Amino acid sequence: MEIWINPACSKCRSAIGLLDAEGASYTVRRYLEDVPSEQEIREVLGRLGLEPWDITRTQEAAAKELGLKEWARDDSSRERWIAALARHPKLIQRPIITAEDGTAVVARTDEAVRDALARS
């Protein structure tokens, strides 16, 4: 199991705390420092069953500068979104936990963290 975190994020710290309390074995990826490639983002999206705009933090300054709210949300725009997430990792919703069964969850709640634990 791997968890993508920003240590400054309270939701990330909460998820780590719950994983620790449950005795889970996991790897931490500080995705702002160890930036995921476009391919890794595609893989995580496939595991999540989501589109890139579904995991984009549209209130971030970079999102506003790029005008993301105006971007099309369709198949022809998918790669543009993925490229933006790879170039501006702060836009990626967090934390994301990749479970051992090949799935992933955006673990912003205790329930989502427990869901990931149940899959591993």
Side-chain angles (χ1 to χ4, degrees), residues 2-13:
E2 182 176 78
I3 181 168
W4 292 9
I5 69 158
N6 172 351
C9 167
S10 64
K11 299 282 186 190
C12 294
R13 291 191 307 271

Side-chain angles (χ1 to χ4, degrees), residues 1-4 27 43-44 47-48 96-105 116 120:
M1 180 177 348
E2 182 176 78
I3 181 168
W4 292 9
T27 302
E43 290 169 8
V44 164
R47 293 174 79 161
L48 287 165
I96 293 176
I97 298 176
T98 56
E100 292 175 17
D101 72 351
T103 63
V105 296
S120 292

